[in-house]
Amino acid sequence: NAGVMQNPRHLVRRRGQEARLRCSPMKGHSHVYWYRQLPEEGLKFMVYLQKENIIDESGMPKERFSAEFPKEGPSILRIQQVVRGDSAAYFCASSPGGLPTDTQYFGPGTRLTVL
Amino acid sequence: SQKIEQNSEALNIQEGKTATLTCNYTNYSPAYLQWYRQDPGRGPVFLLLIRENEKEKRKERLKVTFDTTLKQSLFHITASQPADSATYLCALEDGNKLVFGAGTILRVKS
């Protein structure tokens, strides 16, 4: 059973471009979480999605960031008009259900560098 | 304000000793708390979960305690090995999401 897949692993963008990060959850998992990790800082929650629904986006910046988890295909985190401050590692995690005690399984992350 | 704090300095210990990592929090009332391990360039890996009504949880060489009065969790690795060297993150439940501490780097020297 393959784990959580994220691609690309590394992404370089120039200021003003768009970044698209993909996350394929573990087989059978219908809940996806996105986190951002800055150097020397902990993981910061961004958004929690279930298939076709955003459950909690309280950690998502109000502008330029959006996320989706369509019925078919991977979850996408989209950052429009990137700025240098967006440079970070972005991790997604999946869980089989939405219970708070469900273990979250993390992907290897996408490291975004904005030039 | 809400805070979750872990030892900011790296913990260096000798192989075979017990490593103890601390996680303190303020202005949260988590029903449970989790510990993860993160290696450089990789995503976190779940280790243990402890609920608010559990004082202690064990798994092989790992032990976690949870004191809701002190608002503190301790994470112990007994008989530590160089392979235990990593960053250890605590995370507490806050509704739909997990809130993570910044992590403590553990270095076990042979």
Side-chain angles (χ1 to χ4, degrees), chain A residues 4 10 18 30 33 35 37 52 66 70 77 98 104 111:
Chain A
V4 177
H10 300 274
E18 179 180 284
S30 58
Y33 308 80
Y35 296 85
Q37 188 174 39
E52 299 185 278
S66 62
L77 179 68
Q104 293 188 19
R111 276 143 191 88

Side-chain angles (χ1 to χ4, degrees), chain B residues 18-109:
Chain B
T18 296
T20 299
L21 286 67
T22 305
C23 177
N24 295 296
Y25 59 92
T26 52
N27 293 322
Y28 285 107
S29 298
Y32 65 91
L33 188 145
Q34 301 184 23
W35 284 86
Y36 286 78
R37 169 184 171 139
Q38 186 173 23
D39 291 283
R42 297 184 170 234
V45 174
F46 171 78
L47 295 174
L48 278 169
L49 178 151
I50 185 166
R51 299 169 196 270
E52 60 180 342
N53 60 351
E54 297 175 315
K55 294 295 182 191
E56 182 180 296
K57 200 82 169 276
R58 290 174 185 263
K59 179 183 174 184
E60 297 172 354
R61 294 185 295 112
L62 309 180
K63 184 179 87 171
V64 173
T65 63
F66 190 12
D67 189 326
T68 55
T69 302
L70 290 178
K71 295 188 183 295
Q72 180 181 77
S73 175
L74 298 178
F75 177 79
H76 306 272
I77 305 175
T78 58
S80 58
Q81 305 165 0
D84 295 325
S85 298
T87 298
Y88 291 85
L89 309 171
C90 71
L92 49 86
E93 163 267 334
D94 184 30
N96 282 320
K97 58 187 181 284
L98 290 176
V99 179
F100 282 83
T104 298
I105 298 171
L106 173 67
R107 299 192 190 103
V108 182
K109 300 191 177 178

